[in-house]
Amino acid sequence: MQDPLAHPPQCIGVPKETFPLEKRVATVPDVVEKLIKLGFTVAVESGAGEAANFSDDAYRAAGAQIVDNAAALWAAADIVFKVRPPSSEEVALMREGTTLVDFIWPAQNPELMQQLAAKQATVLAIDCLPRTLSRAQKMDALTSTAGVSGYRAVIEAANAFGRYFNGQITAAGKVPPAKVFIAGAGVAGLAAIGTAANLGAIVRANDTRAEVADQVKSLGGEFVKVDYEEDGAGGGGYAKVMSEGFQAAQRAMYAEQAKDADIIITTALIPGKPAPKLITAEMVQSMKPGSVIVDMAAEQGGNCELTVRDAAVVRHGVTIIGYTDLASRLAKQSSTLYATNLLRLAEELCKAKDGVAVVNMDDDAIRGLTVIKQGEVTWPAPPLKAAPAPAPKAAAAPVEQKKGGHGHGASGPLPAKTLAIIFAIAAVAFWFIGAYAPAAFLGHFTVFVLACFIGYMVVWNVTPALHTPLMSVTNAISSIIAIGALVQIASPAAGSEGRPDSLITWLAFAALVLTAINMFGGFAVTRRMLAMFRK
């Protein structure tokens, strides 16, 4: 029997996006099935996924209800998943108390915030997610979208460039590789670096945050440093506004790169501020005819002075692309990633899996996302509490020094007097062996001493990280030992009766067994090591 106090499951509504050039959809059929398993019902406006190649039939098969028009969907939905901020017409269709989840950009849309607050709505802005929280990464739609946009920016550049990215030797002559410069090595910039490098271009990149240099190199790019010491790391993984001195040095560096580059991709954005102007008209004029600029910051005013929003224009022989729908140009991929991010958010809101979303303001991730709670504007969220500093480790107890040890601890180097005594004893032992041992023994003993020395230099004196690559070398040495042991077992000793000496035979047999273990074990370890690098 159903609990009479239990809330009925909420309906998640997915309207068709009305923003110009927008082809994405906020959820996909595969995710609809998982939302239903959480207890929600799902309603999708007819045609919402057509531009991203998701048909109404696919949504029906996943368990969603198809609603004929936007007004009916907004009236039925308790929770609305969207991509772009709602228009004034869509806000008018919204029921009071609806929960809205999408990109809001509250700093850029103060009027929209007031309209939503008047509707007593609860608004979760996916763009306000605290990205520094490790547990929030699964909900980070900004990163998902930026990665798709960076990839698409390189594809658009390649289409407009009209030449190979990679260098080639053809029957008609040599084709040099394209030179690509990436301004800004955030998520989008790193995606662009990896894509351009995989296509065979020579890739250079710059960012105000020095810590991304290693990431640029790991993707096959070269980090170009500005000749000015200043850290550009801002809060939440973003860059900050730099000083005038840094900006002057940066412009000089960009001017040099513009003369040499075939393609420039700019990604520089600062939250809540217009995009910084990095590429001037003079820099564009200095570029080679046929070059390409892809301005990924066109929606916020552009990083290039000559960028035209949502258009590709030619200035001074250079094609400047200012598309604001780069992610939408890969609508199916970006919709799938975005829908997965919203699914992870739904899991956090509905941990009981009863189809009821609970906005827990004590959760740092949910608190950061929530910009309006039941009509009350809660943006901006308070800064996250700093993690407690780790407790200092207890100081190690000082090593007790030996008396007369000249200041050295028990694990320190041996004193000179001790070393002299050891060498003196070793010298007496060698003299005794040389004076009284048989002549045949001296030859074997010399080989034994040299073998110990060589073994020490080959194995014990090598960094432990290199032991596995040395397996092949040690196996070769082991094979020599095995052959020597076999010869000793097969050869009779120079005894009066012509029989093998039992001691030598057993020593040779032991050497053979130990060597076999070392050889087969070495081959087994080497095989496992090589298997790790096979795809």
Side-chain angles (χ1 to χ4, degrees):
M1 184 175 179
Q2 187 176 4
D3 184 359
L5 298 178
H7 294 282
Q10 294 179 317
C11 176
I12 296 178
V14 181
K16 184 176 181 179
E17 297 294 326
T18 60
F19 194 86
L21 303 177
E22 186 56 70
K23 299 179 181 178
R24 290 174 291 174
V25 63
T27 198
V28 299
D30 288 343
V31 172
V32 167
E33 296 178 356
K34 297 173 183 177
L35 291 172
I36 293 174
K37 289 181 180 179
L38 288 176
F40 296 104
T41 61
V42 181
V44 179
E45 183 181 351
S46 180
E50 285 183 358
N53 295 317
F54 297 110
S55 66
D56 289 349
D57 290 339
Y59 283 107
R60 284 194 188 95
Q65 176 188 359
I66 302 300
V67 180
D68 292 334
N69 55 72
L73 182 124
W74 283 94
D78 301 297
I79 303 170
V80 175
F81 283 179
K82 272 184 57 60
V83 179
R84 293 280 188 168
S87 62
S88 298
E89 292 77 10
E90 289 175 316
V91 175
L93 296 175
M94 181 188 298
R95 289 193 295 112
E96 287 196 1
T98 300
T99 298
L100 176 65
V101 182
D102 70 345
F103 287 100
I104 292 293
W105 306 109
Q108 288 88 355
N109 297 297
E111 294 182 4
L112 174 61
M113 292 283 288
Q114 294 302 320
Q115 293 173 8
L116 293 170
K119 283 283 187 175
Q120 299 299 309
T122 296
V123 181
L124 277 68
I126 203 71
D127 49 279
C128 292
L129 179 74
R131 302 172 77 183
T132 54
L133 289 175
S134 58
R135 57 178 295 269
Q137 292 177 0
K138 61 184 178 181
M139 301 179 280
D140 191 357
L142 278 174
T143 295
S144 302
T145 303
V148 175
S149 299
Y151 173 88
R152 183 68 191 195
V154 176
I155 303 303
E156 295 291 343
N159 180 59
F161 186 44
R163 186 160 66 80
Y164 287 135
F165 259 51
N166 61 329
Q168 294 192 20
I169 303 295
T170 70
K174 182 179 179 181
V175 179
K179 296 180 180 179
V180 180
F181 178 70
I182 313 291
V187 176
L190 292 173
I193 292 167
T195 305
N198 288 337
L199 289 174
I202 297 173
V203 185
R204 300 187 182 96
N206 169 260
D207 196 279
T208 57
R209 298 161 295 177
E211 66 267 19
V212 305
D214 291 337
Q215 300 175 30
V216 171
K217 294 174 184 177
S218 69
L219 290 170
E222 175 190 348
F223 188 79
V224 183
K225 193 174 183 299
V226 176
D227 189 17
Y228 193 95
E229 294 298 329
E230 183 177 352
D231 184 15
Y238 295 95
K240 69 176 184 180
V241 179
M242 307 301 288
S243 66
E244 287 295 333
F246 182 92
Q247 293 181 31
Q250 187 182 53
R251 284 191 294 270
M253 184 270 288
Y254 281 169
E256 292 297 322
Q257 293 297 325
K259 295 176 183 177
D260 187 51
D262 298 305
I263 295 169
I264 295 178
I265 299 176
T266 65
T267 71
L269 282 173
I270 298 171
K273 296 182 180 295
K277 299 299 180 185
L278 304 178
I279 308 298
T280 64
E282 290 77 12
M283 295 180 194
V284 175
Q285 193 169 4
S286 70
M287 296 180 71
K288 293 170 283 189
S291 299
V292 179
I293 297 175
V294 181
D295 193 341
M296 294 184 64
E299 192 165 0
Q300 302 300 327
N303 296 135
C304 177
E305 289 183 348
L306 303 180
T307 296
V308 177
R309 177 175 173 146
D310 292 322
V313 298
V314 179
R315 299 288 185 268
H316 307 295
V318 178
T319 301
I320 305 173
I321 298 173
Y323 299 150
T324 61
D325 61 338
L326 290 172
S328 186
R329 287 171 181 254
L330 285 173
K332 187 167 188 176
Q333 180 67 77
S334 53
S335 296
T336 302
L337 295 175
Y338 182 63
T340 303
N341 293 136
L342 295 191
L343 169 65
R344 302 307 174 207
L345 173 58
E347 291 173 344
E348 292 294 318
L349 296 174
C350 184
K351 293 183 178 180
K353 297 184 180 181
D354 56 357
V356 178
V358 178
V359 179
N360 180 12
M361 299 295 275
D362 293 329
D363 186 319
D364 287 338
I366 303 302
R367 175 63 187 90
L369 285 170
T370 307
V371 295
I372 300 176
K373 177 70 179 296
Q374 297 176 351
E376 179 185 354
V377 176
T378 59
W379 181 84
L384 297 175
K385 296 179 182 179
K393 295 182 180 179
V399 179
E400 185 179 355
Q401 296 182 354
K402 293 183 178 180
K403 295 181 179 180
H406 302 282
H408 294 285
S411 60
L414 293 174
K417 184 184 293 184
T418 304
L419 286 174
I421 294 172
I422 292 174
F423 277 110
I425 294 172
V428 171
F430 278 115
W431 173 84
F432 181 81
I433 292 171
Y436 295 99
F441 176 79
L442 288 177
H444 293 296
F445 183 72
T446 303
V447 173
F448 173 76
V449 173
L450 291 176
C452 290
F453 176 76
I454 294 172
Y456 173 78
M457 298 302 295
V458 170
V459 180
W460 276 276
N461 203 33
V462 174
T463 303
L466 298 178
H467 282 173
T468 302
L470 281 173
M471 284 295 179
S472 299
V473 178
T474 56
N475 284 342
I477 297 174
S478 297
S479 64
I480 298 174
I481 299 173
I483 293 173
L486 290 172
V487 170
Q488 290 295 334
I489 292 174
S491 303
S496 58
E497 300 178 1
R499 292 179 299 179
D501 188 296
S502 59
L503 178 61
I504 294 177
T505 302
W506 284 109
L507 287 175
F509 177 75
L512 187 61
V513 171
L514 295 174
T515 302
I517 294 173
N518 182 62
M519 291 176 65
F520 287 106
F523 282 122
V525 172
T526 303
R527 182 178 179 181
R528 292 186 62 182
M529 179 192 70
L530 295 176
M532 293 190 300
F533 297 95
R534 293 195 184 104
K535 292 184 179 180

